[in-house]
Amino acid sequence: METKATAGTKPFDLVMEQKAHFSHYNMVRMRETLRYLSASKLALFIEIPFLIHTNLPDFPGFVHSDTHPNGIFRFENSGFYKAAQEKNQIPHTSVPDMAITDPAVLALYHMGSLGTCTQSAGSDFDYWIIIDKTCFSDQRYYDFEKKLNHIVKYSRDIYHQKVTFFIMDHRDIRQNCYASFNDKETMTAPKFFIKEEFYRTFLMIAGKIPYWAILPVNGDGTTYKNLIQTFVTDKSLMPLEAEFIDLGHVTAPTIEDIMKGLLWQICKSVSDPIKALIKGTMIYAAGNNFPKNVHLLCDEIKNGYARAGIDDYQVDPYKSLFDRIITFYETDDPKGVELIKNAIFFRLCGYPLVKQPEIGSPKRQLLDHYIRTWNLKKVQINKMLEFQNWPESEKLVLEKTIVNRLAFMVKQVKETISQSGQVLNTLITEKRNFSILTHKTMKSLKAHEHKIPICSSFLKHQHVHLFLFTQKGVGEWQVHGFLTAGQDPMLLYRHSHLLGAVGWVLGNQIYDRYNTEIKIDTQRQLFESYARAVDPDKLYMVLQPFTPLSDKSYETNARWTKLLTLLLYGSPKNKENRLEKVEFLALNSWGEIFVEAMDIKMDIKNGEKTGFTVDTARKIAQKISGYDTAGLYTYFFQLSGAHDPEIVFQIKQHLPPTLLHHPQNRKTAGKNSLMLDIL
């Protein structure tokens, strides 16, 4: 969108030209969006802005309030209002006047894949709602959130569509602050790339147009400020000022932005490694000033506003991203070319539930384009399309390779900083957020022989009806998953300890206690404190939540929070109910799970086994004491033919007092007191 206007072009004409280019591009994106939405999703997409604008008893989203928690700036002039009228969603008798003098919403945008080559039936509806929080009382904001929550529930219950609203103040966004209403900003995500991605992918729904969209591509921060000032000083532009909103400008990212962006993608790789690699490469390429002297991706998209066309993806936000990172690897890192091509292939095929896009869809057209351009062989294509049938171990190899690639990028950036004579810590302005990101990254990358590993992202997207734990010989427990009724179970995981197998299922959060069963294939029973056997679900209940409830947990080093001790007895076929093994599952404040065990060797006296001894109880207690930290919860379970009422009591006789009381009631001393002060 680099203007052809001469130096003598009037500001009004220049603005109108740029606005026309943006409107054209937005119209093309909108047409593509509507074209590939199903009938029900299309109805909802048209309905949502109307429900935000109105607050009528006959419509979803209504709240009893006199604070006017509704309204979108000049919504009555939008195409969505006209579409709602055509669908008879607006009965003129009940809505005499759609104009609202004090609308709650200044602008409504959709951010993400809609209207792009990556749009699919599973695309989320993610909306940015821009407000002026100085116009909100606490009550009005509460009512507004309540209204939006009603719409989210309505979308889920009636249309089975995930809808997310992000409410942000326009002044905060201008300063790259993404705090909610009166809260402090605590976001650890890379703010620069959030704004860049917003400008690159946003779809205008209703309200005010960002000034950024009409700024010439070659304009810098000063040009941006001058443009806004022109609307105040130029009489021809003053009437147009109300149509636009200042959400801030984006320039080249700093080294802090690059580091935080890469660390963030390593953290995100746990849920979607493919997307993390693609975004991480974009960030890494930007940090290497690649390509040289070329615009940011969002500016590249803006430069093509005037050229946008139906079925023409040359200025598509995602195709531009894919092409740039492919070129980067071909130029700067040829060894990574195949991996990034595979990642793009998987991204277009809906990873991790990989399947070819629908024939004729934007995704399929772009995928076919890359297959031809890359000269992919049929055997390669079939191998990737069979991803769902890959063994779990093979899926994990791919995902581990991706994480290692991201870690390599971080290492290279650190080396570049070091070679320049700078110190990383001196370049970081947001110390707390960077520390949190660093600890989260350590959690993702740090390996330990006793740490429970993550499962594949594919498995996290599966619904398992039953997890069956089966002992194979002395030193192996297997986890089988029944994914579909009537089909044979799938071997998912092996571990030398039962708690290792259980911890893998629970820690990866692939157990849904409302729709999934857990069974231990043994003649022994699971006991807690009483003689009545308990369901294995009890193990989940005492350990959850497995992930930290807030980022505050990552402000300090990890500490132990829960310890589950499992006493395993021999087979009930033997008449003696003898303890043979003790397993320990420890959960820390970062959500990491570690498992250890100790075998119990029976003492032999006068040729006979003496059974459980005081020395054995002392050794078990000694092992438990090694996990003693402030706030530790301890739990004891038995897997045996019959409940042993004395054994836990005997072990507790040798535990320190700090482990014998509820954490909230105990008095800690020494280093534990210091840790509490820090927390």
Side-chain angles (χ1 to χ4, degrees):
M1 201 177 69
E2 292 174 313
T3 180
K4 298 178 181 179
T6 64
T9 304
K10 294 180 180 179
F12 178 84
D13 296 332
L14 178 60
V15 167
M16 294 307 292
E17 179 186 5
Q18 306 284 52
K19 179 185 175 185
H21 292 333
F22 168 72
S23 298
H24 167 74
Y25 169 79
N26 197 70
M27 178 191 66
V28 170
R29 283 274 308 276
M30 189 65 72
R31 284 182 176 176
E32 293 293 285
T33 298
L34 304 181
R35 183 181 180 188
Y36 293 104
L37 283 175
S38 65
S40 61
K41 300 294 177 66
L42 174 59
L44 177 63
F45 186 67
I46 293 174
E47 192 174 1
I48 284 175
F50 167 71
L51 297 179
I52 295 173
H53 185 70
T54 60
N55 191 42
L56 303 170
D58 296 334
F59 293 93
F62 172 72
V63 292
H64 292 277
S65 173
D66 58 3
T67 63
H68 306 293
N70 62 290
I72 304 173
F73 178 80
R74 294 184 182 176
F75 177 72
E76 66 277 7
N77 298 329
S78 71
F80 278 86
Y81 172 67
K82 296 172 184 176
Q85 276 186 316
E86 292 175 2
K87 289 184 173 292
N88 297 318
Q89 291 177 349
I90 305 176
H92 293 280
T93 55
S94 60
V95 190
D97 184 7
M98 289 298 294
I100 296 176
T101 56
D102 181 25
V105 179
L106 298 178
L108 178 65
Y109 312 114
H110 185 280
M111 177 182 175
S113 61
L114 291 188
T116 74
C117 62
T118 60
Q119 178 177 335
S120 69
S123 293
D124 293 338
F125 286 6
D126 293 334
Y127 292 93
W128 277 31
I129 295 181
I130 312 302
I131 67 170
D132 181 351
K133 66 183 181 182
T134 63
C135 298
F136 279 77
S137 63
D138 289 346
Q139 186 61 48
R140 189 187 191 195
Y141 189 82
Y142 171 81
D143 292 339
F144 183 54
E145 275 196 321
K146 186 176 180 181
K147 177 180 180 62
L148 295 178
N149 288 336
H150 287 334
I151 297 173
V152 168
K153 184 177 185 302
Y154 167 73
S155 303
R156 182 182 65 243
D157 294 347
I158 304 301
Y159 293 95
H160 309 292
Q161 174 65 43
K162 181 181 179 182
V163 174
T164 307
F165 294 116
F166 300 94
I167 310 172
M168 288 169 282
D169 176 74
H170 67 107
R171 294 182 187 86
D172 287 343
I173 297 178
R174 192 184 309 160
Q175 303 300 324
N176 287 337
C177 176
Y178 298 91
S180 61
F181 201 43
N182 290 327
D183 295 337
K184 291 183 179 181
E185 201 282 317
T186 58
M187 177 177 286
T188 56
K191 301 170 191 175
F192 170 87
F193 291 104
I194 290 177
K195 182 171 285 185
E196 190 280 333
E197 183 175 1
F198 167 71
Y199 280 146
R200 175 163 38 94
T201 67
F202 86 98
L203 186 62
M204 181 83 193
I205 304 298
K208 303 189 177 209
I209 301 172
Y211 275 117
W212 177 88
I214 61 169
L215 175 73
V217 168
N218 55 0
D220 56 13
T222 301
T223 307
Y224 182 79
K225 292 178 181 178
N226 291 340
L227 171 69
I228 296 174
Q229 186 62 29
T230 302
F231 276 82
V232 179
T233 58
D234 191 298
K235 292 183 179 180
S236 66
L237 293 177
M238 288 180 185
L240 297 177
E241 182 184 4
E243 296 183 24
F244 301 95
I245 190 168
D246 179 11
L247 300 180
H249 187 47
V250 285
T251 54
T254 65
I255 195 67
E256 179 179 4
D257 295 323
I258 300 299
M259 278 298 297
K260 288 179 67 175
L262 289 174
L263 294 178
W264 177 256
Q265 293 307 324
I266 290 177
C267 298
K268 299 291 285 184
S269 67
V270 175
S271 57
D272 194 333
I274 294 296
K275 187 183 293 185
L277 177 63
I278 291 171
K279 289 187 176 183
T281 302
M282 178 200 73
I283 294 168
Y284 184 59
N288 282 268
N289 192 24
F290 178 90
K292 309 298 182 185
N293 303 316
V294 175
H295 310 302
L296 293 170
L297 266 173
C298 59
D299 284 328
E300 184 177 316
I301 299 302
K302 182 166 62 172
N303 197 37
Y305 278 174
R307 303 193 309 272
I310 299 293
D311 287 332
D312 179 9
Y313 299 104
Q314 295 309 306
V315 292
D316 183 274
Y318 288 92
K319 182 180 184 300
S320 299
L321 168 60
F322 297 157
D323 289 346
R324 178 170 289 195
I325 60 179
I326 290 172
T327 304
F328 167 74
Y329 275 111
E330 290 175 341
T331 305
D332 282 41
D333 190 5
K335 292 182 179 180
V337 171
E338 289 305 312
L339 181 62
I340 201 63
K341 286 182 178 179
N342 289 345
I344 292 171
F345 185 99
F346 280 133
R347 178 77 174 91
L348 291 172
C349 290
Y351 186 94
L353 307 180
V354 176
K355 64 178 180 179
Q356 276 194 311
E358 182 181 350
I359 295 177
S361 67
K363 274 189 177 183
R364 184 61 175 269
Q365 293 176 38
L366 185 58
L367 179 64
D368 290 343
H369 162 75
Y370 284 133
I371 288 174
R372 293 191 300 270
T373 303
W374 301 338
N375 194 28
L376 291 182
K377 306 301 181 185
K378 190 171 183 179
V379 64
Q380 295 173 278
I381 297 171
N382 290 338
K383 171 66 175 177
M384 287 188 283
L385 291 177
E386 285 293 314
F387 174 79
Q388 297 192 43
N389 296 324
W390 290 13
E392 174 73 3
S393 58
E394 197 170 339
K395 295 186 180 82
L396 287 171
V397 168
L398 171 65
E399 296 187 355
K400 183 66 174 177
T401 302
I402 289 173
V403 173
N404 288 341
R405 169 62 59 170
L406 291 168
F408 170 78
M409 295 177 190
V410 172
K411 181 181 178 182
Q412 291 298 104
V413 173
K414 287 182 177 180
E415 289 181 358
T416 300
I417 295 172
S418 178
Q419 291 170 3
S420 68
Q422 297 175 297
V423 179
L424 178 60
N425 286 342
T426 63
L427 302 175
I428 304 301
T429 58
E430 297 180 333
K431 304 292 185 184
R432 172 191 175 274
N433 289 356
F434 190 76
S435 177
I436 290 173
L437 270 179
T438 301
H439 286 157
K440 283 186 173 181
T441 304
M442 288 173 59
K443 173 184 175 180
S444 298
L445 299 180
K446 186 179 177 183
H448 190 282
E449 62 175 321
H450 299 305
K451 183 178 175 180
I452 296 298
I454 63 172
C455 69
S456 68
S457 55
F458 170 81
L459 196 54
K460 291 179 180 178
H461 283 75
Q462 299 301 301
H463 173 60
V464 181
H465 300 278
L466 169 66
F467 287 106
L468 183 64
F469 300 93
T470 306
Q471 188 172 17
K472 295 294 182 181
V474 178
E476 179 176 289
W477 282 88
Q478 295 183 353
V479 182
H480 286 84
F482 292 76
L483 275 66
T484 305
Q487 290 190 352
D488 293 334
M490 181 185 299
L491 177 61
L492 303 177
Y493 185 66
R494 292 185 176 93
H495 201 281
S496 54
H497 310 310
L498 173 58
L499 283 188
V502 172
W504 181 81
V505 170
L506 301 184
N508 280 294
Q509 300 184 71
I510 52 178
Y511 168 61
D512 176 4
R513 68 185 305 259
Y514 297 105
N515 299 295
T516 308
E517 285 187 86
I518 291 181
K519 289 185 178 180
I520 303 174
D521 187 15
T522 178
Q523 293 181 327
R524 292 165 287 182
Q525 293 181 295
L526 186 66
F527 299 94
E528 194 179 9
S529 302
Y530 304 100
R532 180 180 296 179
V534 297
D535 190 274
D537 176 71
K538 185 69 175 180
L539 300 173
Y540 166 84
M541 292 301 295
V542 300
L543 289 171
Q544 62 87 33
F546 291 90
T547 55
L549 298 177
S550 74
D551 282 344
K552 189 174 179 64
S553 298
Y554 295 102
E555 291 181 2
T556 58
N557 291 330
R559 60 178 180 81
W560 301 118
T561 56
K562 295 183 180 181
L563 177 66
L564 192 156
T565 301
L566 178 63
L567 308 165
L568 290 95
Y569 289 72
S571 171
K573 293 180 180 179
N574 301 326
K575 293 184 179 181
E576 297 178 352
N577 193 37
R578 177 172 292 153
L579 181 67
E580 294 184 347
K581 185 180 182 182
V582 184
E583 297 181 355
F584 308 92
L585 185 152
L587 176 69
N588 69 20
S589 55
W590 291 0
E592 297 173 297
I593 295 178
F594 297 79
V595 172
E596 293 185 271
M598 58 186 295
D599 292 323
I600 304 300
K601 296 180 180 179
M602 295 294 104
D603 294 334
I604 299 179
K605 189 174 183 180
N606 298 326
E608 295 184 1
K609 294 181 179 180
T610 60
F612 188 79
T613 65
V614 172
D615 186 56
T616 303
R618 185 180 293 111
K619 288 179 179 178
I620 296 173
Q622 201 170 29
K623 185 71 174 177
I624 294 173
S625 299
Y627 294 92
D628 189 12
T629 58
L632 180 71
Y633 288 81
T634 56
Y635 306 93
F636 289 87
F637 286 84
Q638 302 174 31
L639 188 69
S640 60
H643 181 253
D644 186 339
E646 296 295 329
I647 189 167
V648 174
F649 173 78
Q650 294 179 53
I651 294 171
K652 286 184 175 181
Q653 297 302 303
H654 304 281
L655 289 176
T658 54
L659 286 174
L660 296 177
H661 304 285
H662 192 281
Q664 293 179 350
N665 297 328
R666 70 162 91 146
K667 296 180 179 180
T668 55
K671 62 179 181 180
N672 289 343
S673 294
L674 178 60
M675 182 172 289
L676 281 179
D677 292 339
I678 294 173
L679 293 174

